[in-house]
Amino acid sequence: DTLAAPNAYARASETAAYVRSKLPEALQKPKVAIVCGSGLGGLVDTIDAEPKVELAYSTIPNFPRSTVQGHAGNFVFGLIGPQKTPVALLVGRAHFYEGHTMDLVTFATRVCKLLGVGTMIVTNAAGGLNENYEVGDIVCLNDHLNLAGLVGIHPLRGPNIDEFGVRFPPLSDAYDLDLRRRTHKAWKKLGLDQQKRKLHEGVYAFVGGPSYETRAECRMLRILGADVVGMSTVPEIIVARHAGVRVLAFSLVTNKAVLDAGSRGNDEAIQTLSKSELNEHLNQGKANHQEVLDAGREAAKDMQALVKQILSDLHED
Ligand code: ADE
């Protein structure tokens, strides 16, 4: 069932109260929540050692458990950067493909809202569809294609929860332009524009997963205007925007999607393929979870530096 649970507000309130009861005064009102995608949990190491509180998802009432290898499940609270900004880190997330309802996939976002979070930075690992993207590049999202949502698998389906937001929220401004501007400035300020890894602006296509896309699906998504494709992020962003939380989102390109059709049909070309050509075709761009995690490790440092710089710039306002 994809319906939002009618008691979502009460459950999120109960969880927020529980979490608050575990936090010292200095951490009780996080300004920014950061969702750490596959292999991007290293951000946790960049927050101050004290005060810091880590709550395992399994100990938090109403929280979904993440079941994917490489996605730990911890809600971490601490202070980050020279200005000691209070932050909440979600290390590991619930995905729709795990079997969770959309309501559970977005539950932590609502808890963050109730804890007082005003800005959410969402990161993920994604497949690159844009031909100009390389593995290890970072994409600052400026829009999305909610493929599941367009056919009704949507986190806001069901009675509207008025305490959070309106029935028909706009999403044309979902990807905060001011935060994106700050991102590109921070990238330059850190000198990251002088290296191989690129920072792009692009459109994220949300797919249900868990299988990776076929070649034809990749071509379809590219034709539709997507630059990257992934299995998360969009539900959280919609629920955050519904509740008036500002959003900044990054994809780390962990593999290049194969747009090339390869050999099709029973034609002359396919009959004369050599063994080595067959092998090359087989191995070309096959997405796998290990490569997703490896690319995450490599690029995580830049992503961490970027997020820290943005947080520090935000504080100066
Ligand atoms: N996450 C990482 N790579 C992906 C891909 N190619 N498709 C969907 N999700 C992904």
Side-chain angles (χ1 to χ4, degrees), residues 33 35 106-113 117-122 155-156 164-165 169-171 174 233-248:
V35 184
T106 57
F107 185 74
T109 304
R110 286 184 163 150
V111 172
C112 287
K113 167 69 186 180
V117 163
T119 301
M120 195 168 82
I121 303 179
V122 192
L156 301 179
F164 285 118
L171 290 176
T233 299
V234 165
E236 291 116 297
I237 285 176
I238 291 173
V239 163
R241 291 305 301 145
H242 180 238
V245 174
R246 289 172 85 190
V247 165
L248 178 64

Side-chain angles (χ1 to χ4, degrees), residues 133-212:
Y133 293 3
E134 296 299 333
V135 169
D137 283 356
I138 294 171
V139 187
C140 179
L141 304 185
N142 59 15
D143 215 332
H144 72 227
L145 293 172
N146 182 7
L147 290 153
L150 291 175
V151 296
I153 303 170
H154 195 287
L156 301 179
R157 191 170 102 90
N160 185 53
I161 304 172
D162 298 335
E163 290 93 334
F164 285 118
V166 297
R167 172 73 291 186
F168 301 109
L171 290 176
S172 51
D173 62 349
Y175 297 83
D176 195 287
L177 186 55
D178 177 51
L179 294 176
R180 278 156 48 208
R181 182 176 60 99
R182 289 168 187 276
T183 296
H184 293 283
K185 280 174 120 170
W187 185 257
K188 195 146 187 214
K189 192 165 174 179
L190 290 166
L192 294 172
D193 57 332
Q194 300 301 316
Q195 55 155 357
K196 203 167 142 262
R197 190 185 317 290
K198 292 266 184 319
L199 174 69
H200 308 277
E201 281 254 315
V203 175
Y204 179 96
F206 169 58
V207 295
S211 58
Y212 293 109

